[in-house]
Amino acid sequence: MDRSVKPGDDFYRFANGAWLRATTPPAGQPNFGTSAMLIAKTGERVRTLIQAAATTHAEPGTIEQKVGDYYSSFMDEAAIEKKGLAPLAGELDKISAISNKASLSAYLGTTLNTEVDGLTANADHIFGVWVNQGFTDSQHYVFHLLQGGLGMPDRDQYLDSSPKMATLRQQYQSHIAAILKLGGVADSDTRAARILSLEVRIAQSHAPDADAADVFKQNNPWKCGDFNLRAPGMDWDAFFQSAGVADQPEFIIWQPSAVTGVSALINSESIDVWKDYLRFHLIEHYASILPKAVSSEDFFFYGTTLGGGHSAPDRASSAIAATNAALPQAVGQLYMRAFFPPEAKARAQAMVSDLIAAYRVRIANLAWMSPETKKKALAKLDALTIGVGYPDKWIDYSAFEVIRGDAFGNMRRAEAFNRSLNLAKLKQRADPNEWRIDPQTVGAVIVFTPNSEFFSAGILQPPYFDYQGDTASNYGSGGAGMAHEISHSFDELGNIYDAQGRLGKWWTADDLANYHAAAAKLVAQFDGYCPFSDLCVNGKQVVGENIADLAGLLVAHDAYVLSLKGKADAVIGGLTGEQRFFLAFAQRWRKVQGEPALRRQIQTDNHPPGEYRSDTVRNVESWYKAYEIAPSDKLYLKPENRVAIW
Ligand SMILES: [Zn+2]
């Protein structure tokens, strides 16, 4: 804090002044704030847990053994080097044996996997899979099929004719050639050129980014029998058979043009080009656990050319990331045991209950929402599933064998395990409690389909949330953050999904118009923040997040009052509970950033700089009371200029 600053003149510096003066961003980081600090701290904890598991030689079959042995095997570069590309031999033989469309289709089916994040447009397999409830069917898990198959992440990198992108394509082609050469493939330059041109054709079939991300364009249910008619080329029976989904009656095709396009390419491209494409992507996919010559070439293109990085991350960091990816909830259990006990979860759940109770009252009293829409909002609130800390039911890893010294086999088995886990879901009822974030990740996730939100143990730690700490600070910091996220399920983003996470707008046109009218004052308020003489915050660009910040603060404050159950809060360190609540809110936004980073944020981010997010307090009556803000103070707003949307 900086107590020499008057809270009513500059609340952000009153709350954060000493920290701001004492902190500089770590080298290479343009910004540094609470999240970055927690990511660094949690990353260290996870590193320690995984490395400890690797040295204890735990009982076979335990999660400690699996985590420890996965990590050690990844770290055993000598063993990896010694094996060379031998681990790929079986798979390379299968590719070599492809002789016609049916065997090509069957092989492509085996590559269909679920390591793709459901929101990632591209992957190194021709399609991505997401097993989730349907857009209109909240009861069943459905097989969502997404476009994929590109080694570079953006469609434009293949199709844009600018010299910059043409150069990038040349660099990618050189990378393909280098990988083929390392794989012992003859004539690698010519074959690399043909692989690139196949990927360009795949990219041409992809939906443009705006369409690919448009949820209303993703909802294309295809029956099993539709594929042969609508997307000729692929032997779809062979494909689905080997993918393990031959009995699946319906699929949701996010980008039909990609399915049609890729399938046609099975017909039009030579089998040999497809086989080279598969060889390249096979080696590339496993680069991290193949000899150094391969992993260095992989970093050279993905880390340096595409990512702008100078040196590859140290092996231990890669091994930790790989272990987290293969055994997310096993590492999560170790994290929970060490840092987030059941009493932490119980306390976070109590805070969530207060937030929901506060929302119930606020929604009922909204001025801009019509009575029928309020009913729908309240039903959605009742149906909302909120997970905190860690899942109630962990993934059972007993069917996943991890063998020390077999890095490649471990990764293959991890993929097979995840695949069977996902395919098994297709036979089960959709479960809104299915966890969507790892406990050891610092973050929160909103899943509109189903209607769920998850806050990890990693984000529920000080200064956001201290399960042994002060309630007022927890509600002002973590509570406001959670209430912010909850608001998104009910705002313009959440408006397109109903209580069961089914697609369909539930606001009326009048609701929307009234909401925008109510937001206009907030737009104007943020337009007035000008950190540079030539650059002000763009109120329109950030209004969606500002509304969520304001809702978060108001609801968290209501929830804090509820938590007191009519009793007065204690004075701690000379501060009342009300003062600590708002102080914690201002402190959650602390951030140091240089001028270029600040300018970039104002120009491109839909979240305004932390200082102005902290200034959200100006709209809240209780803040004026808590800090005795006077009309002469710089942050003072006349009551009629204060905004309350939720
Ligand atoms: Zn937000």
Side-chain angles (χ1 to χ4, degrees), residues 446 481 484-485 487-488 491 493 544-546 548-549 606-607 613:
I446 305 175
H484 168 121
E485 300 306 337
S487 79
H488 284 316
D491 67 8
L493 299 171
E545 291 302 317
N546 294 341
D549 281 344
N606 64 343
H607 302 82
R613 301 185 77 173

Side-chain angles (χ1 to χ4, degrees), residues 44 49 265:
E44 272 312 308
L49 288 170
L265 287 169

Side-chain angles (χ1 to χ4, degrees), residues 4-307:
S4 72
V5 175
K6 224 176 147 196
D9 283 344
D10 186 343
F11 194 56
Y12 180 68
R13 279 173 191 78
F14 165 77
N16 298 303
W19 184 87
L20 291 169
R21 277 195 301 276
T23 309
T24 41
Q29 284 185 36
N31 304 295
F32 186 76
T34 311
S35 289
M37 185 191 85
L38 288 184
I39 288 167
K41 178 180 153 196
T42 308
E44 272 312 308
R45 285 172 160 184
V46 169
R47 174 182 288 250
T48 306
L49 288 170
I50 292 177
Q51 289 177 338
T55 51
T56 47
H57 294 274
E59 192 77 10
T62 57
I63 54 167
E64 287 85 349
Q65 176 262 317
K66 290 175 194 202
V67 167
D69 286 352
Y70 201 95
Y71 173 82
S72 322
S73 309
F74 196 101
M75 288 302 286
D76 191 352
E77 291 179 278
I80 289 171
E81 211 62 41
K82 208 168 140 197
K83 288 178 185 167
L85 295 187
L88 297 179
E91 209 59 22
L92 286 168
D93 285 349
K94 282 187 201 160
I95 294 172
S96 294
I98 294 171
S99 58
N100 54 29
K101 270 199 300 179
S103 52
L104 173 60
S105 303
Y107 185 82
L108 289 170
T110 67
T111 70
L112 195 61
N113 215 331
T114 51
E115 83 267 11
V116 189
D117 178 321
L119 301 173
T120 308
N122 300 292
D124 55 3
H125 302 309
I126 53 158
F127 300 123
V129 175
W130 191 34
V131 176
N132 195 53
Q133 75 174 46
F135 285 111
T136 53
D137 173 2
S138 60
Q139 304 299 308
H140 301 95
Y141 281 112
V142 182
F143 198 94
H144 296 258
L145 201 65
L146 284 68
Q147 63 188 16
L150 301 178
M152 292 195 288
D154 296 330
R155 181 177 175 267
D156 279 354
Q157 289 165 334
Y158 289 90
L159 306 181
D160 187 319
S161 59
S162 69
K164 195 177 158 207
M165 290 302 157
T167 305
L168 183 64
R169 285 191 288 279
Q170 273 306 320
Q171 289 166 316
Y172 181 52
Q173 188 182 313
S174 305
H175 166 66
I176 299 172
I179 290 284
L180 289 179
K181 208 167 175 190
L182 287 165
V185 176
D187 207 6
S188 55
D189 288 331
T190 314
R191 292 164 122 174
R194 292 198 301 228
I195 292 170
L196 176 64
S197 92
L198 171 58
E199 288 195 22
V200 168
R201 260 162 271 182
I202 294 174
Q204 284 164 346
S205 78
H206 273 203
D209 290 355
D211 288 355
D214 180 344
V215 71
F216 290 99
K217 294 187 173 159
Q218 294 161 356
N219 185 24
N220 307 290
W222 285 23
K223 301 264 180 253
C224 203
D226 289 343
F227 286 82
N228 283 326
L229 293 170
R230 298 169 82 162
M234 181 90 79
D235 182 335
W236 288 105
D237 291 341
F239 180 86
F240 287 129
Q241 191 72 41
S242 68
V245 290
D247 55 353
Q248 195 58 25
E250 193 173 273
F251 299 80
I252 308 281
I253 311 301
W254 282 33
Q255 298 92 10
S257 64
V259 173
T260 308
V262 166
S263 187
L265 287 169
I266 303 286
N267 250 346
S268 60
E269 290 288 317
S270 88
I271 297 275
D272 285 336
V273 172
W274 274 109
K275 286 163 78 169
D276 284 338
Y277 166 89
L278 290 168
R279 288 183 183 107
F280 161 66
H281 280 292
L282 176 72
I283 302 171
E284 179 58 61
H285 182 73
Y286 292 105
S288 64
I289 33 108
L290 290 174
K292 196 147 191 73
V294 178
S295 55
S296 301
E297 173 55 38
D298 175 70
F299 182 79
F300 179 69
F301 182 71
Y302 286 101
T304 306
T305 306
L306 270 182

